[in-house]
Amino acid sequence: MAPFTAAATNVTLLASAVSLFAVGLLLSRVLSGKPKSKRRIPVYYDVLEFPDGNLPCPMQLQYAIGCQNANCRLSHEDTSLVRLIRVFQPATKTIDVCVYVICLRELAEILAEKHKRGVRIRVITDTEQLTSTGSQVPSLIENGIPVRHNRSAYFMHHKFAIVDGKVLLSGSFNWTKQAVTGNCENLLVTNQPKVVRQYEGMFDRLWQQFDVSKMATH
């Protein structure tokens, strides 16, 4: 029976050593002030490619049963614009938009809807495009959404948006029907934290730069 007794003793000693190591590791973390490791959110990238074949059917977007009109000529597919709209739909805190041309009603309506639901919306655009044909900017302003522009002979040519400070959309895509159904355009969608923070910083700098009260003092 001696061999079994010795083996049992060795197992007990090993278990005690492991327990002491675990306690020591925990104490060292507490004493060093290091926070517990947080669960990392997976980083993702997606690319939206345009043109789409057609604009999406509003009924298809708004209602779970979809469009019931057998003669509807609008798109009922999972197009790039539909996927873009789905990026904005979960927003609960903020949407920052910095886009050269804003003429697409489908996207302007999402901003207006989110604004009514308490989401903070900020829009930066180009001065010359404020009153261009089909511009949705006057409608945004009428809905109480703050809009700033560059007031310069040079273009405010950025085309990006940030949702809830977590998701970035950036590419060549202007918010126009032509960009959706005609042009060759792209949008990168990502939640990569470092990249999102860089764009947040860019937006905030432009927002301050285009503050009319400050511009008037120079």
Side-chain angles (χ1 to χ4, degrees):
M1 297 294 293
F4 293 102
T5 302
T9 301
N10 289 337
V11 170
T12 301
L13 290 173
L14 179 60
S16 298
V18 171
S19 298
L20 287 172
F21 175 78
V23 171
L25 182 60
L26 178 60
L27 285 174
S28 67
R29 287 184 177 178
V30 172
L31 294 175
S32 65
K34 293 182 179 179
K36 295 181 180 180
S37 59
K38 297 182 179 179
R39 183 179 179 182
R40 292 183 178 181
I41 299 175
V43 174
Y44 69 83
Y45 300 89
D46 192 13
V47 176
L48 306 182
E49 182 180 354
F50 298 88
D52 290 339
N54 200 353
L55 290 173
C57 171
M59 299 294 290
Q60 189 74 12
L61 290 174
Q62 296 176 15
Y63 301 101
I65 61 173
C67 177
Q68 301 300 302
N69 183 358
N71 297 318
C72 180
R73 296 183 178 181
L74 296 175
S75 174
H76 301 93
E77 304 298 325
D78 193 26
T79 63
S80 288
L81 180 57
V82 171
R83 291 161 62 196
L84 170 57
I85 289 171
R86 287 176 182 160
V87 176
F88 288 113
Q89 285 175 334
T92 58
K93 297 179 180 179
T94 62
I95 299 177
D96 289 332
V97 175
C98 187
V99 175
Y100 176 58
V101 185
I102 301 176
C103 293
L104 197 61
R105 179 177 51 81
E106 287 80 358
L107 294 179
E109 287 179 348
I110 288 179
L111 298 185
E113 177 189 347
K114 288 295 179 179
H115 173 70
K116 291 177 181 178
R117 293 176 177 269
V119 177
R120 187 199 70 183
I121 311 292
R122 297 186 296 177
V123 175
I124 295 175
T125 190
D126 183 75
T127 298
E128 291 186 2
Q129 301 303 322
L130 283 173
T131 55
S132 63
T133 302
S135 175
Q136 293 291 316
V137 175
S139 174
L140 297 177
I141 295 173
E142 288 176 7
N143 278 283
I145 295 174
V147 176
R148 293 184 182 179
H149 50 102
N150 56 329
R151 302 175 188 271
S152 169
Y154 297 100
F155 294 148
M156 198 307 296
H157 213 236
H158 291 299
K159 305 167 190 74
F160 69 89
I162 306 164
V163 180
D164 280 343
K166 297 178 180 180
V167 179
L168 168 73
L169 304 100
S170 181
S172 67
F173 182 79
N174 272 308
W175 289 17
T176 67
K177 179 180 178 181
Q178 181 173 315
V180 175
T181 62
N183 296 350
C184 293
E185 308 279 4
N186 71 84
L187 272 176
L188 172 67
V189 184
T190 183
N191 67 340
Q192 210 287 333
K194 182 177 179 180
V195 176
V196 174
R197 285 195 301 270
Q198 288 177 317
Y199 274 84
E200 280 189 304
M202 186 191 312
F203 186 95
D204 288 338
R205 287 191 297 273
L206 291 172
W207 190 253
Q208 293 302 317
Q209 180 182 337
F210 299 155
D211 183 345
V212 64
S213 64
K214 295 181 179 179
M215 295 174 74
T217 62
H218 289 80

